Amino acid sequence: MSETTALPRRVADRRGGVPIFGLMGAALLVIVFAELVLGPVQLGMGDLLAVLVGEGERGPTAILLQIRLPRAVLGLAVGLGLALSGCAMQGVLRNPLADPGLIGVTAGAAVGAVTVIVLGNYFVGDLPAPVRPYALPLGAFIGGMAVTGFVFSLSHRSGGTNVAMLILAGVAVNAIAGALIGAMVYISDDQQLRDLTFWSMGSIASGNWMQVSVTTALALAAALGLLTMGRSLDLFQLGERAAFHAGIDIEREKWRIALLTAIAVGAVTAAAGPIGFIGLVAPHMARLIVGPAHRNVLPAAALIGGALILGADLAVRMVVPPTEPPIGLATSMIGGPFFLWLLMRRMKRGGL
Amino acid sequence: MKQAVFALFAVALLFGSPAAAETPQRIVSAGGDITEIIYALGAGDRVIAVDTTSNHPAEVSSKEQIGYIRRLAAEGILSLQPDLLLAAHDAGPPTAVEQLRAAGLRVELAPKGDSMDGVLAKVRFVGKAIGLEAEGSALAEKIESEMKAALAVAKGYSDHPRVIFVLSERDGAPLVAGSGTSADAIISLAGGDNAAGGFPGYKPMSQEAIIEAAPDVLLMMSQTVERLGGIDTMLTRPEFALTPAGKNRRYVAMEGMLLLGFGPRVPEAVRTLATELRGG
């Protein structure tokens, strides 16, 4: 359980140099570019340039600006938010298996979303039509925040947050959320059932700029906050007592991480559905590449998260056109084996 | 290729584009009932792609597949360069439909139609959308008269067998059609009584409740029967074995799209179901 233990600075720095980040950044840029250029509809460079200078035809313009660009932006926000949240969770809980789902934010968001899908008619029907599309993401966001807040308050007793209590409360809340979702599934009609099944498999095919920008703003704000937590997370690896003696306010830091994670994952899940795997795996990949110092792991995980999501989205858009499988299938199907390969390579070198 | 496009464009200009807009040549059809209507109107050769719920007539299997009707991918459909997406009322997700419209594609969503009048409205709607308005009306009238004959057949029987429609089987509680479903509608058109009409939509029904509902006939889609390992497997399950349907081995298995599609074959569905419910 202590693979993330902080190493002396000299060792930790060894692999965290600028070239690796440059390489990862370049890789991400290539994938972003691919996401914009590749797709079932073939757009030539001429089309792209025409759209860029505002002289594109209606078709290519809509494809680029209303389908691919919002996907790319939302994908980056999703990858960034999930990867950094996972990183922070694993760091603060000192548990390499932790992911944002553990503290209930994903389950809470799912309850919120499913509630809107199934019971939406009762309280959304009266809303003016332009507002209705935001009910689902809003419901998901509120659900995620509420459950996370509840779990953290529950585990916050006698002046300290008990990590074991936090995880157990997360397990219990996940079970309750599962039951609530089951109840909604039970009373849903066929159409709602299909909607919520598909929602639960995730998609970044939003194309609604309003929603994409709100999500991206929230995810970015939370991400910036999490990126500054490197030192605290390193010290947490030494144990809470040591971290306390090193001079950090461990309670405040934990609450900050919880809040930022809840905002990031809540916003991202609200827009794209529950996309698993990224929050768990991106930080591990980052550690394999840049070593364990959080100062390096956090930005690396963010870059990797974005690349993984966009890579998965490219795959689902390209693999069986004109149909499009859910992105959740691809994140696990492509990311899983790749991660295994990384682990095995690492094991051969005796690094694990 | 480019020259061909220019040539087409020139031709379109010469003959005026409004006519071209009303008779779309590259149609993507989403919804099994919509596809059947297009084919029944003789415009099947203009269909370039269909969704997964479209399985009739057999020719559709050679068309491009756009996936499940509620999970359409905007860019995938655009890549086929269609000039019309003709879809059932529940096609989605809404953002994909919006994106398609934003990209300049003509999108027409048919009215919902799980009833006799609904079918006729759908047929007229589809005819109008693909520039075959007169043919649409003619087909609607033909279906209406066939339907009257089929309903007469159904009304000719004085008995009203209690029917239970099982959509699928999961964890020991079969998913059964309640009120407001297409299965409920077709059962009542065929002169049967839905033995599970006490709840709305498709719901898992407890085994004991099924026994208590005492259906005379077990109705299923033939695809489901096949998937679940044959009708004997179903009839010997305790919840069915103890009902009149199980005791007398009375069941009807019909192809799903014919039974529940509410397309142009609905008179055939009503007639077949009406006779089959009384033991053929």
Side-chain angles (χ1 to χ4, degrees), chain A residues 38-41 58-59 62-63 66-68 186-188 190-191 194-195 198 202-203 205-207 317 321-324 326, chain B residues 64-71 73-80 89-90 95 99 101-104 181 201-204:
Chain A
L38 301 177
V41 176
R58 193 177 173 195
I63 289 169
Q66 301 205 24
I67 297 181
R68 291 187 191 169
Y186 178 72
I187 60 170
S188 64
D190 319 340
Q191 188 159 321
R194 289 176 294 187
D195 282 341
F198 283 129
S203 165
S206 167
R317 289 198 303 144
T323 56
E324 192 178 291
Chain B
E64 282 268 12
Q65 243 319 317
I66 56 165
Y68 185 61
I69 182 165
R70 294 204 52 81
R71 185 72 178 189
E75 201 183 331
I77 291 174
L78 289 175
S79 72
L80 303 169
H89 70 99
D90 57 349
T95 44
Q99 288 172 334
R101 286 196 170 125
T181 57
Y202 292 93
K203 295 265 181 296

Side-chain angles (χ1 to χ4, degrees), chain A residues 64-138:
Chain A
L64 212 58
L65 299 185
Q66 301 205 24
I67 297 181
R68 291 187 191 169
L69 193 58
R71 281 185 100 117
V73 173
L74 184 58
L76 286 176
V78 169
L80 189 82
L82 292 179
L84 286 176
S85 305
C87 214
M89 277 293 133
Q90 288 170 12
V92 79
L93 299 179
R94 280 184 293 150
N95 185 334
L97 294 179
D99 89 345
L102 203 64
I103 54 167
V105 55
T106 312
V111 170
V114 170
T115 306
V116 172
I117 291 174
V118 177
L119 299 180
N121 290 340
Y122 295 113
F123 54 92
V124 180
D126 301 331
L127 290 175
V131 187
R132 263 176 247 164
Y134 304 105
L136 195 158
L138 190 68

Side-chain angles (χ1 to χ4, degrees), chain B residues 20-71:
Chain B
E22 276 167 28
T23 51
Q25 296 305 313
R26 296 177 61 79
I27 303 169
V28 173
S29 172
D33 48 347
I34 304 296
T35 307
E36 281 189 35
I37 294 171
I38 297 176
Y39 271 84
L41 289 171
D45 52 336
R46 286 199 255 149
V47 173
I48 55 166
V50 297
D51 73 322
T52 49
T53 65
S54 301
N55 61 6
H56 184 89
E59 295 101 278
V60 298
S61 60
S62 64
K63 305 287 183 183
E64 282 268 12
Q65 243 319 317
I66 56 165
Y68 185 61
I69 182 165
R70 294 204 52 81
R71 185 72 178 189

